[in-house]
Amino acid sequence: MDPRNHIHEGTQETDKFAKPDPDTDEFLSPSRPLPPSVPLTRGQRIGRFLQLHTFAPEFFPPQLQHAAVGYVCAVLLPILATLFLFSILRMAPSFHFIETPIILMVVIISLGWGTVPGILATLVGTLMLAFVLQYSHATPMLTSNTFALTQSENIFGLGLFAIIGLSVSLVTSQTQHARRAATRAHHQVESLLIQTETIFENINDAIMVMDTDGKIIRFNQALQKLLAFDEDYPSLPPAQRGAQVLPRDEYGNPLTLEQWPLRRILQGEELSSSQPADIILQTLDKRTIHVSITGTPIRSQHGRIIGGVLVLRDVTQRREQERRTHEALASMLIMAEALVGIADSTTSEALAGKSNRDVFHRLLKLACDLLGYRSASAVTLDSQTGQLQPIDVYGFPSHYESHWWQHVSGVSLDDYLSPQQIAQLGAGQVINFHLSERRKPEALTYGLQSVLLAPLRIGDRFIGVLSLDYEGSGRKYSPAKERAIASAVGKLTALLVEREHLVRERAEARARELAALETTRMMDDFIGIAAHELRTPMTAIKTSVQLARRQVRRILKQQNLLSEEMVELVASVQSFLTRTERQINTQMRMIRDLLDVSRIRADQLELQPENCNLAQVVRECAEDLRDMDAKRSFTLNLPGKQRIAVVADVDRLRQVVMNYLTNALKYSDASQPITLTVSMERDRVRVAVIDHGPGITKEQQSKIWERFYRDPDVEVRSGSAVGLGIGLHVSRTIIEGLGGQVGLESQPGEGSIFWFTLPLAR
């Protein structure tokens, strides 16, 4: 039997009970009173009483299931029973059980329509019985020993009949009411089971429930879709299941049996949303996926483990997006470092020969990695002959690469492109060219079909072409973004070409200085373009995560409709989304720092000073720090003043404080405390962040404020190791722009104190 279909029998017929019927079911239950804020009139209270104690037979047609029908029957049936009794008495005057037909009608009315109609039938029956007794005394032919009673005996008999009728009415109607309530509760339980099963099956995360032996006893469709297993897989022992999915840790190392999340759960460990198990699995259809696993053991009422629940969340796309983002940031950083290294070179020997070839080769490789292309090549144009001159090639098969180096020098750009296409490249446009359209059919294609051509230009001078294998694109970005990045890489390549040309000609020192400035400017342009292009997808991802969190919060507001287990599962999803948003904010902060560096270099960093409360800004940053790492020991020291007035850009000031705090978190052990102190110094206020990290040497302290600089002797102690070395550079620029100063006090092995000062507002 499929564990996913293990549902109580008969649930297929209980859909009609999913919602309460306002004329029966839940709306007739005494346990469902009106809201206390609604005042009831006397008529409403009477109507409410009649509604709660009146129902109708279930076998009646819907149009007859009304309270009025019960009242009509409560009057008519005793009368009909009396007429029937008269017919019996005429045929058998000595009939002794004259109350029986009327009592029978009372029972029928009570069972069918409830307490109130039963009481009404009893009253009508009592009156009809009195009428029978009176009529029998007035009719000599009916007078017998049966009716030879005194008036007091008749009154006593009628009273006894009324009491018996009322008792029968109350007992039978309450019994029927209890039976209906039990039936209604049964339908509600079945409806709840159906709803729970529907929720279980429609949760996007994969869920499986296991017994103490690790055997899967329940799973949803998401798990089957995630692992792509057949119907025999859940019944396999845990070892055989693990052998098919090959669990590995996030670094690709195989997991031992004791490290399996399944085994850890059954041993009593809880995998919470804050510390999930991130592993790599191979599905049964040979796909490699990254999953984040949370779970908890299932315990009996005595605390004994009787099973466990695992929730598997597919984070493959998120991991791939993180990898691409890290690769893009790393590629930009390496490109920037390569250009900075060239700009710092002072001798032609440093750029001559093989070392310069390595720079071009690394640049082409980084361009392919960044865009997801298979191969790339770069050529220059001879200013006199117009023939191509090879610069470098990357990603070609060995036989194509050797031929390319030998024969590309004798080829002209006119052999491939039309004059109009060459003019477009000369104007700085990036074009897509299909090699089947080449002007000379004998011109070699080297196995390529479609290429993206980016011009190499220095100023307005067209000096070469960068060719990228567009057919093999992994399509990480939109075509417009691909062209923008290809254009930026082309500018960098052209800059390298020009730099090489200037060095080889032993240009004067002024020419080398101008080339270095141009290199830096182009690097800043590239950083600005790339950071801007990266910010758009990250913003979209952040928006999607925020929308998902809103949906989860909306679900949690209706937790009274969910089981406790489902509430915990939805809460775990909310925690995952919070963690994802926190990581996205980290990436967005790095991209923002890149944009700030570009603006600083272009002297376009805007500050909007205004009167603000520095104490409030620092307090908000401290709260953000606690949200980032709630387990970290943190101390905030503020002076007695509730308001510290300064003239500053609030957003930029918060950026500086968070940069200081983030560095303290990153370069000190997780067990070490961090202190944020605000103190007054005459007409200035001083903000300092104190950590207990490894400290910084005097030599490194003079460089720590430079852009892209990272101390090679200091390792990241906690948190993410990703960093561009530009946070302190941006912070210094902001503080100095606001009229303040930055500083550092540190000794190796004794921690560091990063501080800044701002003038107090008058």
Side-chain angles (χ1 to χ4, degrees):
M1 179 182 293
D2 189 345
R4 292 180 291 107
N5 298 327
H6 191 265
I7 308 175
H8 191 276
E9 295 182 1
T11 53
Q12 300 294 331
E13 301 179 359
T14 59
D15 290 344
K16 63 181 180 179
F17 301 106
K19 294 182 179 180
D21 186 351
D23 293 331
T24 59
D25 288 341
E26 184 181 351
F27 287 88
L28 297 181
S29 174
S31 62
R32 193 177 186 274
L34 290 175
S37 60
V38 179
L40 296 178
T41 63
R42 178 179 299 178
Q44 288 176 333
R45 288 196 294 270
I46 295 175
R48 179 65 176 169
F49 176 81
L50 295 177
Q51 182 186 32
L52 292 177
H53 293 84
T54 305
F55 43 82
E58 296 179 352
F59 54 84
F60 268 32
Q63 58 270 22
L64 295 180
Q65 292 187 0
H66 194 275
V69 176
Y71 300 137
V72 172
C73 292
V75 175
L76 291 180
L77 289 181
I79 295 175
L80 293 176
T82 303
L83 296 177
F84 176 71
L85 179 61
F86 272 120
S87 63
I88 293 177
L89 291 175
R90 287 184 178 276
M91 293 183 294
S94 61
F95 183 69
H96 291 277
F97 303 100
I98 61 174
E99 302 91 347
T100 303
I102 301 177
I103 288 293
L104 179 61
M105 292 301 103
V106 171
V107 172
I108 293 174
I109 293 296
S110 299
L111 288 174
W113 283 276
T115 304
V116 177
I119 294 174
L120 179 60
T122 301
L123 297 177
V124 175
T126 303
L127 293 175
M128 297 308 299
L129 183 59
F131 174 75
V132 170
L133 293 175
Q134 184 67 27
Y135 180 76
S136 62
H137 284 290
T139 306
M141 64 174 293
L142 296 178
T143 302
S144 63
N145 293 331
T146 304
F147 302 104
L149 301 174
T150 65
Q151 185 176 2
S152 60
E153 290 175 336
N154 288 336
I155 294 175
F156 177 77
L158 290 175
L160 183 60
F161 172 81
I163 293 173
I164 293 174
L166 291 175
S167 301
V168 170
S169 174
L170 291 173
V171 172
T172 54
S173 62
Q174 290 301 319
T175 302
Q176 183 72 353
H177 193 283
R179 187 189 65 81
R180 286 172 172 264
T183 303
R184 186 161 55 247
H186 173 71
H187 294 332
Q188 291 175 351
V189 170
E190 287 187 337
S191 176
L192 182 59
L193 288 174
I194 294 174
Q195 294 175 8
T196 303
E197 182 68 20
T198 301
I199 294 173
F200 183 82
E201 288 295 333
N202 287 278
I203 290 178
N204 292 330
D205 291 338
I207 304 175
M208 65 176 175
V209 183
M210 307 151 297
D211 59 15
T212 54
D213 296 327
K215 182 180 179 181
I216 299 177
I217 58 176
R218 188 73 178 277
F219 61 90
N220 61 354
Q221 294 180 356
L223 180 68
Q224 186 173 13
K225 182 178 179 181
L226 178 66
L227 299 182
F229 55 74
D230 54 21
E231 59 182 9
D232 297 330
Y233 180 80
S235 60
L236 296 176
Q240 294 185 22
R241 296 202 309 267
Q244 295 189 33
V245 297
L246 302 176
R248 291 164 288 165
D249 62 18
E250 55 185 330
Y251 304 105
N253 302 317
L255 295 179
T256 63
L257 186 61
E258 296 298 324
Q259 293 174 326
W260 287 8
L262 169 62
R263 178 61 62 88
R264 293 165 59 186
I265 288 295
L266 294 180
Q267 290 179 350
E269 182 179 352
E270 291 189 4
L271 300 178
S272 63
S273 57
S274 60
Q275 293 182 337
D278 292 335
I279 66 174
I280 302 173
L281 299 177
Q282 177 179 292
T283 64
L284 274 69
D285 57 357
K286 305 306 179 183
R287 291 180 293 110
T288 299
I289 59 174
H290 293 256
V291 294
S292 180
I293 301 179
T294 58
T296 182
I298 302 175
R299 300 180 183 273
S300 66
Q301 60 180 353
H302 302 294
R304 185 172 59 88
I305 296 178
I306 59 175
V309 178
L310 285 183
V311 180
L312 290 77
R313 185 181 185 88
D314 187 359
V315 294
T316 305
Q317 293 184 353
R318 190 179 74 189
R319 291 287 184 266
E320 182 65 19
Q321 184 65 36
E322 290 176 355
R323 184 186 64 81
R324 291 178 178 177
T325 302
H326 291 164
E327 288 180 354
L329 292 174
S331 299
M332 289 190 298
L333 182 60
I334 294 175
M335 289 181 184
E337 290 176 347
L339 293 176
V340 171
I342 291 177
D344 290 341
S345 301
T346 56
T347 61
S348 60
E349 290 78 11
L351 295 175
K354 183 179 179 181
S355 61
N356 199 43
R357 165 91 180 276
D358 291 341
V359 174
F360 281 115
H361 196 75
R362 184 167 57 171
L363 182 61
L364 295 181
K365 180 181 182 301
L366 290 172
C368 291
D369 293 341
L370 182 60
L371 291 168
Y373 292 174
R374 292 183 302 188
S375 61
S377 62
V379 295
T380 58
L381 298 175
D382 190 294
S383 58
Q384 296 180 354
T385 64
Q387 292 184 337
L388 305 180
Q389 300 293 329
I391 298 178
D392 199 9
V393 63
Y394 169 78
F396 276 19
S398 57
H399 59 285
Y400 279 150
E401 183 174 349
S402 59
H403 188 277
W404 185 85
W405 280 108
Q406 294 175 7
H407 296 87
V408 72
S409 299
V411 178
S412 173
L413 199 58
D414 297 335
D415 296 344
Y416 292 91
L417 305 179
S418 64
Q420 181 181 2
Q421 291 171 327
I422 296 176
Q424 289 177 337
L425 288 174
Q429 299 182 23
V430 179
I431 64 174
N432 187 3
F433 177 67
H434 203 283
L435 289 169
S436 62
E437 302 174 356
R438 59 190 184 279
R439 297 187 65 189
K440 292 185 178 181
E442 65 273 14
L444 297 177
T445 62
Y446 298 102
L448 303 177
Q449 297 181 1
S450 180
V451 292
L452 195 67
L453 300 179
L456 307 184
R457 298 172 74 244
I458 299 297
D460 295 332
R461 186 160 52 94
F462 178 40
I463 66 169
V465 177
L466 172 68
S467 175
L468 298 160
D469 181 10
Y470 193 68
E471 190 68 25
S473 171
R475 294 297 184 273
K476 293 183 177 181
Y477 309 101
S478 65
K481 293 178 181 178
E482 287 181 338
R483 291 171 182 262
I485 295 176
S487 176
V489 175
K491 292 177 181 179
L492 288 174
T493 306
L495 189 58
L496 290 177
V497 172
E498 181 68 10
R499 178 68 178 172
E500 180 187 20
H501 178 71
L502 292 174
V503 171
R504 287 182 176 178
E505 290 184 352
R506 299 180 183 272
E508 296 179 356
R510 180 59 181 166
R512 291 199 303 270
E513 182 181 354
L514 291 175
L517 292 174
E518 183 68 6
T519 299
T520 304
R521 186 184 68 80
M522 296 304 297
M523 178 191 66
D524 292 334
D525 290 344
F526 173 77
I527 291 175
I529 293 172
H532 179 76
E533 298 300 333
L534 286 172
R535 183 171 60 179
T536 302
M538 292 299 296
T539 302
I541 294 171
K542 182 176 181 180
T543 302
S544 300
V545 171
Q546 290 175 341
L547 290 175
R549 288 186 63 192
R550 291 180 183 176
Q551 296 297 329
V552 170
R553 285 197 298 267
R554 185 176 300 173
I555 294 174
L556 288 176
K557 289 181 180 178
Q558 303 176 358
Q559 56 181 313
N560 58 327
L561 302 178
L562 305 175
S563 65
E564 182 178 356
E565 180 181 356
M566 297 308 303
V567 172
E568 293 178 356
L569 291 176
V570 175
S572 67
V573 172
Q574 185 182 36
S575 178
F576 290 149
L577 293 174
T578 302
R579 182 182 177 189
T580 302
E581 186 177 9
R582 187 163 56 247
Q583 295 299 323
I584 291 174
N585 290 333
T586 300
Q587 299 296 333
M588 292 288 288
R589 186 165 59 251
M590 297 173 65
I591 295 173
R592 181 195 61 192
D593 287 343
L594 283 174
L595 289 173
D596 286 343
V597 168
S598 179
R599 296 188 183 108
I600 291 171
R601 295 295 299 176
D603 198 19
Q604 295 178 352
L605 184 66
E606 296 182 359
L607 297 175
Q608 298 177 351
E610 60 181 352
N611 282 322
C612 63
N613 184 1
L614 177 62
Q616 180 181 355
V617 173
V618 171
R619 191 177 295 108
E620 291 174 354
C621 292
E623 293 175 356
D624 292 342
L625 176 65
R626 291 191 177 98
D627 292 338
M628 292 170 56
D629 192 348
K631 298 181 180 179
R632 196 66 174 264
S633 176
F634 176 75
T635 302
L636 173 62
N637 296 325
L638 291 174
K641 292 185 178 181
Q642 295 296 324
R643 177 176 177 83
I644 303 176
V646 296
V647 178
D649 187 325
V650 175
D651 291 336
R652 293 297 184 179
L653 186 58
R654 185 180 291 109
Q655 179 181 352
V656 173
V657 177
M658 288 306 298
N659 278 342
Y660 277 25
L661 292 173
T662 302
N663 276 351
L665 284 175
K666 185 182 297 184
Y667 294 107
S668 61
D669 293 330
S671 61
Q672 296 295 331
I674 294 175
T675 303
L676 176 57
T677 301
V678 179
S679 57
M680 310 297 295
E681 297 179 354
R682 295 184 181 178
D683 59 343
R684 307 181 74 83
V685 59
R686 184 176 188 266
V687 179
V689 175
I690 306 171
D691 64 59
H692 297 273
I696 303 174
T697 63
K698 291 292 184 181
E699 180 182 350
Q700 302 297 334
Q701 290 181 27
S702 61
K703 304 177 182 178
I704 200 71
W705 302 99
E706 299 175 4
R707 64 173 184 160
F708 299 123
Y709 181 79
R710 300 177 67 187
D711 192 342
D713 299 327
V714 178
E715 298 179 355
V716 174
R717 300 296 182 89
S718 61
S720 174
V722 177
L724 302 177
I726 56 180
L728 293 178
H729 174 72
V730 173
S731 299
R732 182 182 66 177
T733 304
I734 293 173
I735 293 300
E736 291 178 352
L738 296 174
Q741 295 179 341
V742 298
L744 165 64
E745 300 171 11
S746 180
Q747 292 291 336
E750 297 181 6
S752 303
I753 302 175
F754 284 85
W755 56 266
F756 68 87
T757 61
L758 286 175
L760 292 171
R762 296 182 179 178

